Amino acid sequence: MYRQILDPIADSLLLSALCAVVPLIVLFVLLGAFRVKAYWSALAAVASAVLLAIVGWQMPAVQAFSGVAEGAFYGLFPILWILINALFVYRLTEITGWFAVLRRTFNSVSDDQRIQAILIAFCFGALIEALAGFGTPVAISVVMLIAAGLKPIKAATVALVANTAPVAFGSLAVPITTLAGVTGLPVDELGAMAGRQTPVLAVFVPLILVLLVDGKRGVRQTWPAAIVAGLAFGISQFVWAQWVSVETTDIAAGAVTLVALLGFLRIWRPRTLVTAATKEAESGKGSDAGEADEENPELDADAGEADRHRARTGEGSAWLAFAPYLIIIVLFAIAQFGPVKQWLAVNGTHAFAWPGLDVYPATGDKPVGLTTFKLDHIKAAGTILLLSGLLTMACYKIRPGRALRAYGGNLVKLRWTMVTVMLVLALSYTMNLSGMTATLGEALAATGPAFAFLSPILGWIGVALTGSDTSSNSLFGNTQVAAAQKLGLDPVLLAAANSSGGVLGKMISIQNLSVAAAAIGQPGSESQIFRKVIGWSLGLIVVFAFFVYLQSTPVLGWMTKAL
């Protein structure tokens, strides 16, 4: 048996916390400052974490390496299982030319790239996050933004920044329900409190998106649409979380925002349009948009004349172009329907003790949760996405052999992304099982009244490390409550702040960066994307932390009261 130690370095919590953060420093410095490829950066971080776990935290070597193996497997299933099948669905639209029809359809709504960024990444991405999560909205939004004409790196940046406000209530509010299960606090109170925090972020995210796409000109010319989208999402999220349903908050917010923005665009248009063609002209490169391309690289060797015609002209049914994504939404909705959800909960998952692990927390007589592996085989989001792919095959009349070659080609393209994600999750599991993450949490909780400011930052660290708001809440939920009770603060406020602050760590998590890099077809570009988003992540979390601190004081304390 291994019992975690909170202060193994010279019996000092501070020194232990400084050592515990070393693997994270190794990871992000190599990735951001030295531009080392993501998988090498992750490998170096894993090596440093294992060394610290064995030498510093006195974890048995066998258990340390078993934790590495468990994390790597979790990276493969369910995380990569989701990504692989989400991109498989996209690839089916690509090889048949329907992706070009999708591009034309977006242009028919508005061919202004700034508006499309809000519609796709913010509105549609929120709906996907509401149902699937785990990187799926980033993977899908990125390819749709590229279809709208954005450059790959910019598309990845926009999708990552947009995937913030809906995360706390993503996957039918699994982060909030998990937080309630860990802390014992009422789920409705936690959801309501998060609903008084994340809407503040939502109001500003669309403005940031148009700034990313077109700089100050974008904000100056499209701020009315950005404000409509931000307010519609924020107000809907607030109202739904307070008085209707925590689980369906993002579904309502995403749908209301989409309808509100589409309605607003019927009576308002930007003074000037910024399209792919104008962007090319401004850069002095010219544009070949709309020209025929007989050797379209999106097509495969089996493409027929109809496929080539669609790829060249973008002609075809808009409903068929959207069909794969409508199928995804319908299947996820069915999976959450009462009887189906209950059946999947019983038959769609299998839990077992991970071999070689016998780990207990510093205090308590129950093993840490990660010693039990929960394998969601049938109910996994990736399985539902695979079924969506099979239905897309039937819808587009794609032969099995052709689809299988597309699937295999995806695996080849994703090989380094798969290595990266597995290593990052191995790092996360090593730090969590050894007790390094718990040491960080305890050190921050020992800062006294300043902890109200650090509370969302703790959630941000958890998501940056694990790539999951749910995992961050599992790690730090109890730490937040214990610190709040010790300091005389509202435990619901700080627990919710863990989840709300965590959403801002999503854009810099290596897992999500790897998903974005794979989606744009540029594995290895994680460091480039990271440098584009790190400033936004750091700036927003500092402002948000100050906001939560004010909520713990009389200045904004009125916002925490039950309505």
Side-chain angles (χ1 to χ4, degrees):
M1 187 192 79
Y2 168 65
R3 185 172 292 278
Q4 295 175 346
I5 309 170
L6 295 179
D7 56 353
I9 310 300
D11 295 324
S12 168
L13 185 60
L14 176 59
L15 288 176
S16 299
L18 292 175
C19 289
V21 82
V22 166
L24 299 181
I25 294 174
V26 169
L27 176 65
F28 290 117
V29 168
L30 287 178
L31 185 71
F34 293 97
R35 305 186 182 187
V36 176
K37 289 188 180 297
Y39 49 87
W40 288 118
S41 301
L43 180 61
V46 171
S48 64
V50 170
L51 182 62
L52 281 168
I54 296 172
V55 177
W57 271 256
Q58 302 170 36
M59 187 180 194
V62 171
Q63 298 212 44
F65 285 106
S66 180
V68 169
E70 184 185 16
F73 186 77
Y74 184 81
L76 181 63
F77 196 99
I79 304 301
L80 285 167
W81 183 236
I82 295 171
L83 173 62
I84 290 167
N85 290 313
L87 292 181
F88 170 59
V89 174
Y90 156 66
R91 181 59 181 156
L92 292 179
T93 69
E94 202 177 36
I95 64 176
T96 54
W98 284 106
F99 194 53
V101 181
L102 186 66
R103 182 187 297 118
R104 179 188 58 80
T105 303
F106 280 128
N107 288 339
S108 69
V109 175
S110 173
D111 55 0
D112 189 293
Q113 290 186 334
R114 303 161 299 185
I115 302 299
Q116 290 174 335
I118 301 174
L119 281 170
I120 297 169
F122 188 69
C123 302
F124 188 71
L127 287 173
I128 299 297
E129 178 68 39
L131 296 168
F134 290 101
T136 307
V138 172
I140 292 176
S141 294
V142 164
V143 295
M144 295 174 82
L145 287 169
I146 293 174
L150 265 66
K151 298 297 184 183
I153 295 295
K154 183 169 287 187
T157 304
V158 168
L160 286 167
V161 173
N163 188 224
T164 50
V167 167
F169 294 95
S171 300
L172 294 174
V174 166
I176 300 296
T177 56
T178 299
L179 185 61
V182 169
T183 62
L185 297 172
V187 66
D188 290 339
E189 291 185 20
L190 288 169
M193 187 65 75
R196 298 167 203 159
Q197 295 172 338
T198 56
V200 176
L201 294 172
V203 171
F204 295 100
V205 169
L207 287 168
I208 296 173
L209 298 185
V210 298
L211 180 64
L212 288 170
V213 173
D214 194 38
K216 294 179 181 178
R217 180 182 65 177
V219 176
R220 187 171 62 252
Q221 294 183 352
T222 62
W223 67 264
I227 291 295
V228 166
L231 287 176
F233 192 92
I235 292 172
S236 301
Q237 201 177 51
F238 171 79
V239 170
W240 221 260
Q242 306 303 310
W243 297 298
V244 185
S245 166
V246 174
E247 288 80 2
T248 58
T249 293
D250 271 353
I251 295 176
V256 168
T257 306
L258 193 59
V259 171
L261 186 55
L262 289 175
F264 183 68
L265 290 174
R266 295 178 67 89
I267 60 174
W268 177 90
R269 285 286 189 275
R271 192 185 328 164
T272 57
L273 294 179
V274 173
T275 65
T278 59
K279 280 288 188 181
E280 291 286 354
E282 288 173 358
S283 66
K285 296 179 181 178
S287 174
D288 58 358
E291 293 182 9
D293 184 3
E294 292 289 350
E295 301 299 329
N296 194 318
E298 297 176 351
L299 301 175
D300 61 354
D302 297 319
E305 184 55 38
D307 299 333
R308 297 182 181 279
H309 178 74
R310 277 192 295 268
R312 289 195 307 270
T313 65
E315 295 177 358
S317 166
W319 283 108
L320 276 175
F322 275 103
Y325 305 104
L326 295 175
I327 289 171
I328 289 171
I329 291 174
V330 169
L331 288 183
F332 273 104
I334 291 173
Q336 298 301 327
F337 176 65
V340 178
K341 184 177 180 179
Q342 293 173 7
W343 184 88
L344 289 174
V346 175
N347 301 286
T349 186
H350 174 64
F352 61 93
W354 188 266
L357 287 180
D358 188 15
V359 181
Y360 285 74
T363 58
D365 55 358
K366 293 183 178 180
V368 299
L370 294 182
T371 57
T372 299
F373 193 93
K374 187 179 180 183
L375 182 66
D376 294 331
H377 38 84
I378 300 176
K379 66 177 289 190
T383 304
I384 296 174
L385 286 168
L386 177 60
L387 179 57
S388 301
L390 296 175
L391 292 177
T392 299
M393 287 171 53
C395 181
Y396 289 164
K397 299 179 181 179
I398 303 173
R399 296 187 304 276
R402 187 183 183 190
L404 191 61
R405 284 188 290 275
Y407 199 96
N410 251 357
L411 292 178
V412 173
K413 290 180 181 179
L414 290 172
R415 60 190 183 280
W416 293 116
T417 299
M418 294 170 67
V419 171
T420 301
V421 171
M422 292 172 71
L423 285 171
V424 169
L425 269 296
L427 168 65
S428 172
Y429 270 61
T430 302
M431 293 185 65
N432 295 339
L433 286 164
S434 66
M436 282 187 274
T437 305
T439 296
L440 284 173
E442 288 294 320
L444 290 176
T447 56
F451 185 67
F453 177 84
L454 297 173
S455 173
I457 295 176
L458 187 59
W460 176 81
I461 292 172
V463 176
L465 175 62
T466 66
S468 165
D469 201 39
T470 301
S471 298
S472 178
N473 289 343
S474 297
L475 286 174
F476 295 129
N478 276 327
T479 300
Q480 299 275 10
V481 171
Q485 292 171 341
K486 182 179 179 180
L487 299 169
L489 298 172
D490 184 355
V492 174
L493 170 64
L494 297 195
N498 191 86
S499 192
S500 301
V503 306
L504 296 170
K506 192 84 169 176
M507 68 179 85
I508 62 166
S509 72
I510 306 302
Q511 172 192 311
N512 252 24
L513 291 171
S514 296
V515 168
I520 65 175
Q522 296 181 21
S525 63
E526 291 89 349
S527 61
Q528 187 177 356
I529 302 170
F530 174 77
R531 292 194 299 277
K532 296 286 187 181
V533 297
I534 182 61
W536 290 108
S537 183
L538 288 173
L540 287 170
I541 189 58
V542 169
V543 173
F544 186 74
F546 185 66
F547 168 72
V548 171
Y549 172 74
L550 291 179
Q551 284 189 316
S552 73
T553 71
V555 177
L556 292 181
W558 54 270
M559 293 184 67
T560 68
K561 308 302 180 184
L563 301 177

